[in-house]
Amino acid sequence: MIFVVLWSVIFVFLAIYLGQSPKVRGWLKLLGRNRRIWRVTIATVAIIAIITTTYLLLPAAHHHQTNERELFEEFAAEAVLKLHTLQKVTIDSTCDLTHPQPELAYILPLIIAAYNEIVEKPTRPELTRLDDTLHFTMNGYKQFKNRGIRLNKALQKKLGNRYTTSIESDGSSHTLIVTYNGAPWDNEQLTALPVMDAAQSHQLDAALLMSLIRHVSNFDFDYRGQKDSHGLLALDDGEGLQQIYIGAERLSKLLQVGISQENAIATFYPDPEIGAKPENWNQSPLTKSWVDQVMADVQFYKANGMK
Protein backbone atom coordinates (compact mmCIF):
# COMPACT_ATOMS: atom_id res chain seq x y z
CA MET A 1 0.00 0.00 0.00
CA ILE A 2 2.84 2.39 0.82
CA PHE A 3 4.38 1.56 -2.56
CA VAL A 4 1.15 2.46 -4.41
CA VAL A 5 0.73 5.74 -2.51
CA LEU A 6 4.37 6.72 -3.05
CA TRP A 7 4.27 6.19 -6.82
CA SER A 8 0.87 7.89 -7.06
CA VAL A 9 2.34 11.01 -5.41
CA ILE A 10 5.34 10.89 -7.76
CA PHE A 11 3.10 10.62 -10.86
CA VAL A 12 0.86 13.47 -9.70
CA PHE A 13 3.90 15.68 -9.05
CA LEU A 14 5.36 14.90 -12.48
CA ALA A 15 2.01 15.52 -14.16
CA ILE A 16 1.67 18.95 -12.54
CA TYR A 17 5.30 19.88 -13.20
CA LEU A 18 5.40 18.72 -16.82
CA GLY A 19 1.90 20.03 -17.51
CA GLN A 20 3.22 23.57 -17.22
CA SER A 21 5.39 23.09 -20.33
CA PRO A 22 3.73 24.11 -23.68
CA LYS A 23 5.73 21.45 -25.51
CA VAL A 24 4.53 18.73 -23.15
CA ARG A 25 0.92 19.89 -23.47
CA GLY A 26 1.30 19.70 -27.25
CA TRP A 27 2.53 16.11 -27.07
CA LEU A 28 -0.31 15.19 -24.72
CA LYS A 29 -2.91 16.58 -27.15
CA LEU A 30 -1.34 14.58 -29.98
CA LEU A 31 -1.24 11.38 -27.91
CA GLY A 32 -4.78 12.01 -26.67
CA ARG A 33 -6.11 11.52 -30.21
CA ASN A 34 -4.55 8.04 -30.37
CA ARG A 35 -7.08 5.35 -29.34
CA ARG A 36 -4.37 2.80 -28.55
CA ILE A 37 -2.79 5.18 -26.05
CA TRP A 38 -6.16 5.71 -24.39
CA ARG A 39 -6.74 1.94 -24.14
CA VAL A 40 -3.32 1.36 -22.55
CA THR A 41 -3.88 4.26 -20.14
CA ILE A 42 -7.34 3.03 -19.10
CA ALA A 43 -6.07 -0.55 -18.70
CA THR A 44 -3.13 0.61 -16.55
CA VAL A 45 -5.38 2.66 -14.29
CA ALA A 46 -7.82 -0.26 -14.00
CA ILE A 47 -5.03 -2.69 -13.05
CA ILE A 48 -3.70 -0.32 -10.39
CA ALA A 49 -7.24 0.16 -9.03
CA ILE A 50 -7.84 -3.62 -8.89
CA ILE A 51 -4.52 -4.23 -7.09
CA THR A 52 -5.22 -1.46 -4.59
CA THR A 53 -8.78 -2.63 -3.93
CA THR A 54 -7.67 -6.25 -3.51
CA TYR A 55 -4.96 -5.22 -1.06
CA LEU A 56 -7.43 -3.21 1.00
CA LEU A 57 -10.07 -5.96 1.06
CA LEU A 58 -7.74 -8.82 1.94
CA PRO A 59 -7.55 -9.48 5.71
CA ALA A 60 -4.28 -8.60 7.37
CA ALA A 61 -1.96 -11.55 7.95
CA HIS A 62 -2.43 -12.98 11.43
CA HIS A 63 0.77 -13.36 13.41
CA HIS A 64 0.27 -15.87 16.20
CA GLN A 65 1.44 -14.59 19.56
CA THR A 66 2.01 -17.28 22.16
CA ASN A 67 0.53 -16.64 25.58
CA GLU A 68 3.70 -17.62 27.39
CA ARG A 69 2.36 -17.00 30.88
CA GLU A 70 -0.51 -19.39 30.23
CA LEU A 71 1.92 -22.11 29.14
CA PHE A 72 3.88 -21.81 32.36
CA GLU A 73 0.70 -21.77 34.47
CA GLU A 74 -0.34 -25.06 32.84
CA PHE A 75 3.09 -26.54 33.48
CA ALA A 76 3.00 -25.33 37.10
CA ALA A 77 -0.38 -27.01 37.64
CA GLU A 78 0.95 -30.26 36.16
CA ALA A 79 4.04 -30.10 38.37
CA VAL A 80 1.88 -29.68 41.49
CA LEU A 81 -0.36 -32.58 40.46
CA LYS A 82 2.75 -34.72 39.99
CA LEU A 83 3.74 -33.99 43.61
CA HIS A 84 0.26 -35.08 44.62
CA THR A 85 0.63 -38.32 42.63
CA LEU A 86 3.96 -38.98 44.34
CA GLN A 87 2.15 -38.49 47.68
CA LYS A 88 4.37 -35.56 48.64
CA VAL A 89 1.39 -33.31 49.25
CA THR A 90 -2.40 -33.54 49.40
CA ILE A 91 -4.47 -31.10 47.33
CA ASP A 92 -7.65 -29.85 48.96
CA SER A 93 -10.78 -30.16 46.84
CA THR A 94 -11.33 -26.40 47.05
CA CYS A 95 -7.82 -25.58 45.79
CA ASP A 96 -8.15 -23.96 42.35
CA LEU A 97 -5.22 -24.78 40.04
CA THR A 98 -6.61 -22.87 37.05
CA HIS A 99 -4.08 -20.04 37.26
CA PRO A 100 -1.32 -20.95 39.72
CA GLN A 101 1.43 -18.35 39.97
CA PRO A 102 4.55 -20.14 38.67
CA GLU A 103 6.79 -18.17 41.03
CA LEU A 104 4.92 -19.87 43.89
CA ALA A 105 4.22 -23.28 42.34
CA TYR A 106 7.89 -23.77 41.43
CA ILE A 107 9.01 -23.41 45.07
CA LEU A 108 6.52 -25.95 46.45
CA PRO A 109 9.11 -28.80 46.47
CA LEU A 110 11.47 -26.53 48.44
CA ILE A 111 8.69 -25.79 50.97
CA ILE A 112 7.91 -29.49 51.36
CA ALA A 113 11.61 -30.29 51.87
CA ALA A 114 12.00 -27.54 54.49
CA TYR A 115 8.89 -28.77 56.33
CA ASN A 116 10.14 -32.37 56.38
CA GLU A 117 13.53 -31.19 57.61
CA ILE A 118 12.29 -28.90 60.41
CA VAL A 119 9.37 -30.93 61.75
CA GLU A 120 9.91 -34.28 63.42
CA LYS A 121 7.47 -36.96 62.25
CA PRO A 122 5.83 -34.64 59.71
CA THR A 123 2.28 -35.39 58.59
CA ARG A 124 1.45 -35.16 54.91
CA PRO A 125 0.90 -31.45 54.16
CA GLU A 126 -2.14 -30.15 52.31
CA LEU A 127 -2.24 -27.51 49.60
CA THR A 128 -5.37 -25.44 50.20
CA ARG A 129 -4.72 -22.49 47.90
CA LEU A 130 -2.45 -21.72 44.94
CA ASP A 131 -3.09 -18.67 42.79
CA ASP A 132 -1.39 -15.39 43.70
CA THR A 133 -0.95 -16.79 47.23
CA LEU A 134 0.17 -20.21 48.41
CA HIS A 135 -1.46 -21.84 51.45
CA PHE A 136 0.42 -24.87 52.78
CA THR A 137 -1.48 -26.50 55.65
CA MET A 138 0.14 -28.77 58.25
CA ASN A 139 -2.31 -30.71 60.40
CA GLY A 140 -2.07 -32.64 63.66
CA TYR A 141 0.16 -30.43 65.85
CA LYS A 142 -1.14 -28.96 69.10
CA GLN A 143 2.07 -27.03 69.69
CA PHE A 144 3.68 -25.54 66.61
CA LYS A 145 5.06 -22.13 67.60
CA ASN A 146 8.77 -23.05 67.84
CA ARG A 147 8.67 -25.26 64.78
CA GLY A 148 6.80 -22.54 62.90
CA ILE A 149 9.48 -19.97 63.77
CA ARG A 150 12.24 -22.31 62.57
CA LEU A 151 10.32 -23.09 59.37
CA ASN A 152 9.79 -19.38 58.67
CA LYS A 153 13.47 -18.61 59.18
CA ALA A 154 14.58 -21.52 57.00
CA LEU A 155 12.29 -20.46 54.15
CA GLN A 156 13.28 -16.80 54.36
CA LYS A 157 16.92 -17.84 54.11
CA LYS A 158 16.26 -20.03 51.07
CA LEU A 159 13.73 -17.80 49.28
CA GLY A 160 15.08 -14.32 49.95
CA ASN A 161 13.26 -11.06 50.54
CA ARG A 162 11.07 -11.29 47.44
CA TYR A 163 8.92 -13.80 49.29
CA THR A 164 6.81 -13.12 52.37
CA THR A 165 5.95 -16.00 54.70
CA SER A 166 3.72 -16.25 57.75
CA ILE A 167 1.95 -18.98 59.71
CA GLU A 168 -1.66 -18.88 60.93
CA SER A 169 -2.83 -21.47 63.46
CA ASP A 170 -6.30 -22.76 64.21
CA GLY A 171 -6.27 -25.51 66.82
CA SER A 172 -4.12 -28.33 65.50
CA SER A 173 -4.13 -26.94 61.95
CA HIS A 174 -1.31 -24.58 60.94
CA THR A 175 -1.17 -22.86 57.56
CA LEU A 176 1.98 -21.45 56.01
CA ILE A 177 1.06 -18.49 53.78
CA VAL A 178 3.54 -17.53 51.07
CA THR A 179 3.29 -14.55 48.70
CA TYR A 180 5.66 -13.37 45.99
CA ASN A 181 6.39 -9.64 45.92
CA GLY A 182 9.11 -9.41 43.31
CA ALA A 183 8.98 -8.74 39.57
CA PRO A 184 7.44 -11.49 37.42
CA TRP A 185 10.00 -14.05 36.30
CA ASP A 186 11.13 -13.83 32.70
CA ASN A 187 11.03 -16.72 30.23
CA GLU A 188 14.57 -17.79 31.06
CA GLN A 189 13.76 -18.20 34.75
CA LEU A 190 10.43 -19.89 34.07
CA THR A 191 11.93 -22.29 31.54
CA ALA A 192 14.47 -23.63 34.05
CA LEU A 193 12.07 -26.05 35.77
CA PRO A 194 10.72 -27.75 32.60
CA VAL A 195 14.32 -27.96 31.35
CA MET A 196 15.43 -29.73 34.53
CA ASP A 197 12.41 -32.03 34.31
CA ALA A 198 13.14 -32.92 30.68
CA ALA A 199 16.85 -33.37 31.39
CA GLN A 200 16.12 -35.71 34.28
CA SER A 201 13.70 -37.74 32.15
CA HIS A 202 16.32 -38.24 29.43
CA GLN A 203 19.43 -38.45 31.65
CA LEU A 204 20.81 -35.25 30.18
CA ASP A 205 22.83 -32.31 31.48
CA ALA A 206 20.23 -29.63 32.29
CA ALA A 207 22.79 -26.84 31.91
CA LEU A 208 23.61 -28.04 28.39
CA LEU A 209 19.94 -28.08 27.38
CA MET A 210 19.36 -24.65 28.93
CA SER A 211 22.33 -23.12 27.13
CA LEU A 212 21.17 -24.65 23.85
CA ILE A 213 17.73 -23.03 24.16
CA ARG A 214 19.32 -19.70 24.98
CA HIS A 215 21.44 -19.67 21.84
CA VAL A 216 18.80 -21.10 19.50
CA SER A 217 15.83 -18.87 20.33
CA ASN A 218 16.77 -16.83 23.42
CA PHE A 219 13.65 -18.34 25.09
CA ASP A 220 11.31 -16.92 22.43
CA PHE A 221 8.37 -19.29 21.87
CA ASP A 222 7.51 -17.52 18.60
CA TYR A 223 11.00 -17.80 17.13
CA ARG A 224 11.05 -18.64 13.41
CA GLY A 225 14.04 -20.31 11.83
CA GLN A 226 14.63 -21.58 8.31
CA LYS A 227 11.81 -23.29 6.41
CA ASP A 228 9.34 -24.75 8.93
CA SER A 229 11.56 -24.62 12.00
CA HIS A 230 10.09 -22.74 14.94
CA GLY A 231 9.86 -22.56 18.71
CA LEU A 232 12.35 -22.66 21.57
CA LEU A 233 14.68 -25.11 19.81
CA ALA A 234 13.75 -24.22 16.20
CA LEU A 235 12.42 -27.71 15.49
CA ASP A 236 9.96 -28.66 12.76
CA ASP A 237 7.51 -30.19 15.22
CA GLY A 238 6.18 -29.59 18.72
CA GLU A 239 4.68 -26.48 20.23
CA GLY A 240 5.40 -24.49 23.38
CA LEU A 241 7.17 -26.34 26.16
CA GLN A 242 6.78 -29.62 24.27
CA GLN A 243 9.86 -28.72 22.23
CA ILE A 244 12.01 -28.90 25.35
CA TYR A 245 11.16 -32.58 25.77
CA ILE A 246 11.49 -33.34 22.05
CA GLY A 247 14.86 -31.59 21.94
CA ALA A 248 16.03 -33.32 25.12
CA GLU A 249 15.17 -36.73 23.67
CA ARG A 250 16.94 -35.95 20.39
CA LEU A 251 20.04 -34.61 22.13
CA SER A 252 20.15 -37.58 24.51
CA LYS A 253 19.99 -40.09 21.65
CA LEU A 254 22.86 -38.35 19.85
CA LEU A 255 25.05 -38.45 22.95
CA GLN A 256 24.18 -42.07 23.71
CA VAL A 257 25.53 -43.28 20.37
CA GLY A 258 28.91 -41.73 21.13
CA ILE A 259 28.64 -38.38 19.35
CA SER A 260 30.59 -35.63 21.09
CA GLN A 261 28.73 -32.79 22.78
CA GLU A 262 30.03 -30.31 20.20
CA ASN A 263 28.83 -32.40 17.25
CA ALA A 264 25.45 -32.97 18.90
CA ILE A 265 25.04 -29.27 19.62
CA ALA A 266 25.94 -28.36 16.04
CA THR A 267 22.88 -30.28 14.75
CA PHE A 268 20.68 -27.68 16.48
CA TYR A 269 22.31 -24.67 14.78
CA PRO A 270 19.28 -22.68 13.55
CA ASP A 271 20.89 -20.88 10.56
CA PRO A 272 23.12 -23.31 8.63
CA GLU A 273 24.66 -22.12 5.40
CA ILE A 274 23.00 -23.26 2.18
CA GLY A 275 24.57 -26.48 0.97
CA ALA A 276 26.66 -26.91 4.11
CA LYS A 277 26.99 -30.49 5.39
CA PRO A 278 26.21 -30.95 9.11
CA GLU A 279 29.30 -33.08 9.66
CA ASN A 280 31.52 -30.24 8.40
CA TRP A 281 30.16 -27.66 10.85
CA ASN A 282 33.64 -26.95 12.30
CA GLN A 283 34.72 -25.62 8.90
CA SER A 284 32.17 -22.81 9.17
CA PRO A 285 33.39 -19.92 11.38
CA LEU A 286 29.80 -18.89 12.22
CA THR A 287 28.67 -22.36 13.27
CA LYS A 288 31.88 -23.05 15.19
CA SER A 289 31.60 -19.75 17.06
CA TRP A 290 27.97 -20.54 17.91
CA VAL A 291 28.84 -24.00 19.27
CA ASP A 292 31.65 -22.47 21.36
CA GLN A 293 29.19 -19.97 22.86
CA VAL A 294 26.76 -22.75 23.78
CA MET A 295 29.54 -24.72 25.49
CA ALA A 296 30.77 -21.62 27.35
CA ASP A 297 27.32 -20.88 28.79
CA VAL A 298 26.94 -24.46 30.03
CA GLN A 299 29.39 -23.52 32.78
CA PHE A 300 27.41 -20.35 33.49
CA TYR A 301 24.21 -22.31 34.13
CA LYS A 302 26.01 -24.93 36.21
CA ALA A 303 27.43 -22.14 38.38
CA ASN A 304 23.85 -20.90 38.88
CA GLY A 305 22.53 -24.20 40.17
CA MET A 306 21.50 -26.16 37.05
CA LYS A 307 23.14 -29.58 37.33
Side-chain angles (χ1 to χ4, degrees):
M1 186 62 184
I2 296 176
F3 176 81
V4 173
V5 172
L6 178 63
W7 279 105
S8 298
V9 172
I10 292 174
F11 282 130
V12 170
F13 174 78
L14 289 174
I16 295 173
Y17 178 76
L18 296 176
Q20 296 177 357
S21 171
K23 186 181 290 187
V24 171
R25 287 199 296 269
W27 278 104
L28 290 175
K29 289 180 181 179
L30 181 63
L31 293 173
R33 299 190 186 102
N34 191 315
R35 292 184 178 180
R36 184 175 295 178
I37 296 296
W38 272 107
R39 289 172 184 170
V40 171
T41 302
I42 293 171
T44 301
V45 172
I47 290 171
I48 293 174
I50 291 170
I51 292 174
T52 304
T53 303
T54 303
Y55 181 87
L56 292 173
L57 293 177
L58 282 175
H62 176 68
H63 298 285
H64 176 70
Q65 184 70 34
T66 301
N67 187 333
E68 298 163 347
R69 191 72 182 181
E70 187 175 285
L71 291 179
F72 288 115
E73 286 179 354
E74 291 175 359
F75 176 81
E78 291 173 2
V80 171
L81 289 172
K82 187 181 293 186
L83 291 173
H84 173 70
T85 302
L86 294 172
Q87 298 185 348
K88 302 291 185 180
V89 66
T90 299
I91 301 177
D92 187 80
S93 59
T94 62
C95 182
D96 185 6
L97 293 178
T98 306
H99 296 289
Q101 188 174 9
E103 291 85 351
L104 291 173
Y106 280 22
I107 65 167
L108 184 56
L110 185 149
I111 293 173
I112 295 173
Y115 166 64
N116 290 331
E117 180 182 346
I118 295 295
V119 178
E120 295 179 3
K121 297 181 180 180
T123 60
R124 187 179 300 172
E126 185 176 33
L127 189 66
T128 53
R129 177 178 173 182
L130 181 56
D131 38 44
D132 58 352
T133 306
L134 186 151
H135 285 202
F136 181 85
T137 301
M138 303 154 284
N139 296 310
Y141 305 99
K142 292 182 179 179
Q143 300 295 328
F144 199 78
K145 184 176 180 179
N146 291 335
R147 285 171 289 191
I149 292 173
R150 294 202 305 273
L151 181 58
N152 256 326
K153 286 184 176 179
L155 289 175
Q156 283 298 315
K157 184 177 180 181
K158 293 176 182 293
L159 298 175
N161 56 15
R162 292 179 299 173
Y163 289 86
T164 301
T165 64
S166 62
I167 294 179
E168 293 183 357
S169 297
D170 182 13
S172 61
S173 179
H174 313 276
T175 300
L176 171 70
I177 301 173
V178 185
T179 56
Y180 179 71
N181 306 309
W185 289 1
D186 58 26
N187 279 0
E188 183 175 11
Q189 294 169 300
L190 291 169
T191 302
L193 187 59
V195 163
M196 288 190 287
D197 184 52
Q200 184 178 9
S201 299
H202 296 283
Q203 298 180 336
L204 191 66
D205 184 353
L208 175 61
L209 183 58
M210 192 75 170
S211 181
L212 192 58
I213 295 172
R214 177 180 184 179
H215 288 284
V216 169
S217 65
N218 197 26
F219 305 97
D220 180 6
F221 285 86
D222 295 319
Y223 174 81
R224 296 290 169 184
Q226 295 183 1
K227 296 183 180 179
D228 296 326
S229 64
H230 64 280
L232 291 176
L233 283 168
L235 303 177
D236 55 9
D237 62 338
E239 300 294 335
L241 294 171
Q242 185 185 13
Q243 280 212 359
I244 297 176
Y245 294 86
I246 296 173
E249 182 180 10
R250 173 178 156 185
L251 185 59
S252 178
K253 286 180 178 179
L254 289 172
L255 296 174
Q256 286 174 5
V257 297
I259 296 177
S260 68
Q261 281 193 351
E262 289 83 355
N263 286 337
I265 289 169
T267 64
F268 287 86
Y269 184 55
D271 299 306
E273 299 173 15
I274 298 176
K277 295 182 179 180
E279 62 269 22
N280 297 331
W281 65 268
N282 55 356
Q283 297 178 10
S284 168
L286 288 176
T287 308
K288 188 176 186 306
S289 174
W290 183 84
V291 171
D292 290 342
Q293 290 172 8
V294 173
M295 291 300 297
D297 277 342
V298 170
Q299 301 307 316
F300 166 78
Y301 284 113
K302 284 186 176 180
N304 283 274
M306 296 200 70
K307 299 177 182 179

